[in-house]
Short mmCIF file of all heavy atoms in Angstrom, two decimals:
data_model
loop_
_atom_site.label_atom_id
_atom_site.label_comp_id
_atom_site.label_asym_id
_atom_site.label_seq_id
_atom_site.Cartn_x
_atom_site.Cartn_y
_atom_site.Cartn_z
N ARG A 262 -15.57 -7.01 -9.65
CA ARG A 262 -15.46 -7.25 -11.07
C ARG A 262 -16.96 -7.28 -11.61
O ARG A 262 -17.94 -7.46 -10.93
CB ARG A 262 -14.81 -8.70 -11.32
CG ARG A 262 -13.35 -8.70 -10.97
CD ARG A 262 -12.57 -7.86 -11.93
NE ARG A 262 -11.15 -8.03 -11.63
CZ ARG A 262 -10.42 -7.20 -10.84
NH1 ARG A 262 -11.09 -6.17 -10.17
NH2 ARG A 262 -9.16 -7.37 -10.67
N GLY A 263 -16.97 -7.03 -12.94
CA GLY A 263 -18.33 -7.13 -13.56
C GLY A 263 -19.17 -5.90 -13.49
O GLY A 263 -20.42 -5.99 -13.54
N LYS A 264 -18.48 -4.74 -13.25
CA LYS A 264 -19.40 -3.46 -13.21
C LYS A 264 -19.93 -3.16 -14.59
O LYS A 264 -21.00 -2.48 -14.63
CB LYS A 264 -18.44 -2.31 -12.74
CG LYS A 264 -18.02 -2.39 -11.23
CD LYS A 264 -17.23 -1.19 -10.87
CE LYS A 264 -16.84 -1.14 -9.41
NZ LYS A 264 -16.13 0.05 -9.09
N THR A 265 -19.24 -3.57 -15.56
CA THR A 265 -19.76 -3.30 -17.02
C THR A 265 -19.65 -4.61 -17.76
O THR A 265 -18.98 -5.57 -17.37
CB THR A 265 -18.91 -2.22 -17.62
OG1 THR A 265 -17.58 -2.61 -17.76
CG2 THR A 265 -18.95 -0.90 -16.89
N HIS A 266 -20.40 -4.63 -18.87
CA HIS A 266 -20.47 -5.81 -19.73
C HIS A 266 -20.53 -5.44 -21.17
O HIS A 266 -21.23 -4.39 -21.51
CB HIS A 266 -21.60 -6.71 -19.29
CG HIS A 266 -21.82 -7.95 -20.11
ND1 HIS A 266 -20.96 -9.00 -20.07
CD2 HIS A 266 -22.72 -8.24 -21.17
CE1 HIS A 266 -21.36 -9.86 -20.92
NE2 HIS A 266 -22.38 -9.50 -21.61
N SER A 267 -20.03 -6.25 -22.04
CA SER A 267 -20.17 -6.04 -23.46
C SER A 267 -20.15 -7.45 -24.06
O SER A 267 -19.42 -8.32 -23.66
CB SER A 267 -19.05 -5.12 -24.09
OG SER A 267 -17.79 -5.78 -24.00
N ALA A 268 -20.80 -7.50 -25.28
CA ALA A 268 -20.71 -8.74 -26.06
C ALA A 268 -20.79 -8.37 -27.54
O ALA A 268 -21.87 -8.27 -28.10
CB ALA A 268 -21.87 -9.67 -25.72
N MET A 269 -19.68 -8.06 -28.07
CA MET A 269 -19.55 -7.57 -29.43
C MET A 269 -20.16 -8.53 -30.46
O MET A 269 -20.70 -8.09 -31.47
CB MET A 269 -18.18 -7.23 -29.82
CG MET A 269 -17.51 -6.11 -28.90
SD MET A 269 -18.51 -4.63 -28.72
CE MET A 269 -18.37 -3.96 -30.40
N HIS A 270 -19.94 -9.86 -30.21
CA HIS A 270 -20.58 -10.83 -31.13
C HIS A 270 -22.06 -10.83 -31.19
O HIS A 270 -22.70 -11.34 -32.15
CB HIS A 270 -20.02 -12.24 -30.78
CG HIS A 270 -20.49 -12.79 -29.40
ND1 HIS A 270 -20.02 -12.24 -28.22
CD2 HIS A 270 -21.45 -13.62 -29.13
CE1 HIS A 270 -20.60 -12.93 -27.29
NE2 HIS A 270 -21.54 -13.76 -27.77
N LYS A 271 -22.66 -10.26 -30.12
CA LYS A 271 -24.12 -10.07 -30.03
C LYS A 271 -24.57 -8.64 -30.40
O LYS A 271 -25.71 -8.35 -30.40
CB LYS A 271 -24.69 -10.44 -28.69
CG LYS A 271 -24.49 -11.96 -28.32
CD LYS A 271 -25.09 -12.24 -26.96
CE LYS A 271 -24.81 -13.68 -26.50
NZ LYS A 271 -25.40 -13.89 -25.20
N GLY A 272 -23.56 -7.81 -30.63
CA GLY A 272 -23.92 -6.43 -30.92
C GLY A 272 -24.15 -5.61 -29.68
O GLY A 272 -24.69 -4.49 -29.74
N GLU A 273 -23.82 -6.15 -28.52
CA GLU A 273 -24.06 -5.39 -27.25
C GLU A 273 -22.79 -4.47 -26.97
O GLU A 273 -21.64 -4.99 -26.80
CB GLU A 273 -24.16 -6.34 -26.07
CG GLU A 273 -25.51 -7.20 -26.14
CD GLU A 273 -25.65 -8.05 -24.96
OE1 GLU A 273 -25.06 -7.72 -23.85
OE2 GLU A 273 -26.36 -9.07 -24.96
N LYS A 274 -22.96 -3.26 -26.93
CA LYS A 274 -21.92 -2.31 -26.51
C LYS A 274 -21.73 -2.34 -24.96
O LYS A 274 -22.58 -2.81 -24.29
CB LYS A 274 -22.17 -0.89 -26.95
CG LYS A 274 -22.29 -0.74 -28.46
CD LYS A 274 -22.57 0.69 -28.90
CE LYS A 274 -22.64 0.82 -30.37
NZ LYS A 274 -22.94 2.19 -30.87
#
Side-chain angles (χ1 to χ4, degrees):
R262 294 289 184 269
K264 290 184 178 182
T265 61
H266 175 73
S267 66
M269 299 307 292
H270 66 285
K271 296 181 180 179
E273 292 183 25
K274 295 182 179 179

